[in-house]
Amino acid sequence: MTVELATQLLTADAAGIAAAARCLTAGGLAAFPTETVYGLGADAGNGEAVARLYAAKGRPAFNPLIAHVVDSAAALQVGIFNPDAERLAAAFWPGPLTLVLPKQKDCGVSDLALAGLDSVAIRVPAHRTARALLAAFGRPVVAPSANRSGHVSPTSAAHVLGDLRGRIDLVIDGGPCTVGVESTIVSCLGAPTLLRPGGLPREAIERVLGRPLALAAVPEDDAPLAPGMLSSHYAPRADVRLDAQDARADEALLAFGQAPAHRGLTLNLSPRGDLVEAAANLFSHLRALDASGTRHIAVMTIPHEGLGEAINDRLARAAAPKP
């Protein structure tokens, strides 16, 4: 059951920005303007805050989120830049360009926000209010569009309130967005590849690179490598058995709520049966079980309501037959 919040509308002054930074520090959800669209911000490193963000948006699955940082120096702490990425960042940041890069080992972005991937999507926004908030907060902020999933992206504070009033803590009103469409996303994991067209024209990017962008192929599954791209998803090497009532002797157990007695390795997504806590722990627990060397994982039943739908979606992918 979702608890309705008293969503505040704040002005884009020093007091409003300070209040939004305090909200993010406390694990809250704060919508703010960028030059593209309004973003719904959460502390990128706080898995439970990110889980609440997914719940507020009603996202159907745990798709990777864009980490917003204040400048290129902060971006270097999050992602690993190759020469192409360096050229694009120098030419277009701050601005409506998101780069997908290998993540730094200690990138400050939670596994849930990364959707369990080893890459990270990064943007340095150009909007004065967004940059002031990022500077005041001092850490990466994930900020998908501040609307219910599947709805039209918001370009004003009124749009945000129309979709998310009662579901988030606050909105900073910075007036209408100037670009009005989401950022362009380019992968620099190999040859620069256009993952999503957006507020920065492809031709401008290609002029800086001196060659055409590759175009992303759309794979058969629907687990994106980055917002706007479909690609393979994280799955453990071990076989996964769902809706288990207990674990066999040769299985590790991924538990939820009260766990049955088991002599083998057990990790609990949420001993208290909290779906927000379970979502925050999902990818890190799967990785830990995989790192243990176990060949088989039994997963207890997860309720299908709320965030449980997205948790079960990812677990079903993890349990799918391997190619």
Side-chain angles (χ1 to χ4, degrees), residues 189-283:
L189 300 176
T193 300
L194 181 66
L195 306 188
R196 180 180 75 183
L200 181 65
R202 181 202 313 202
E203 294 79 8
I205 298 169
E206 292 176 340
R207 280 196 296 271
V208 169
L209 292 173
R211 64 188 190 278
L213 285 167
L215 298 180
V218 179
E220 294 179 358
D221 65 51
D222 61 349
L225 175 63
M229 181 188 185
L230 306 180
S231 185
S232 61
H233 53 279
Y234 173 75
R237 292 182 295 271
D239 295 327
V240 176
R241 181 169 66 90
L242 302 178
D243 296 319
Q245 302 304 308
D246 53 26
R248 301 165 186 151
D250 64 342
E251 292 178 320
L253 177 64
L254 185 62
F256 177 80
Q258 185 172 354
H262 178 50
R263 291 186 178 181
L265 175 61
T266 298
L267 292 179
N268 200 320
L269 290 169
S270 176
R272 64 179 188 264
D274 184 292
L275 289 171
V276 170
E277 182 181 25
N281 288 329
L282 176 61
F283 291 108

Side-chain angles (χ1 to χ4, degrees), residues 163-201:
D163 253 17
L164 296 178
R165 188 191 295 273
R167 303 177 69 87
I168 65 176
D169 295 284
L170 61 87
V171 182
I172 298 179
D173 187 353
C177 300
T178 55
V179 175
V181 296
E182 288 86 351
S183 63
T184 302
I185 302 180
V186 173
S187 170
C188 290
L189 300 176
T193 300
L194 181 66
L195 306 188
R196 180 180 75 183
L200 181 65

Side-chain angles (χ1 to χ4, degrees), residues 32-89:
F32 60 93
T34 78
E35 72 278 19
T36 57
V37 298
Y38 273 69
L40 179 57
D43 179 354
N46 182 334
E48 291 197 21
V50 174
R52 284 191 287 273
L53 184 153
Y54 281 112
K57 281 183 63 70
R59 286 176 83 99
F62 294 140
N63 297 334
L65 302 174
I66 297 172
H68 293 66
V69 295
V70 69
D71 55 27
S72 293
L76 289 170
Q77 305 301 310
V78 179
I80 299 171
F81 285 70
N82 63 20
D84 287 326
E86 291 173 352
R87 282 194 290 273
L88 294 176

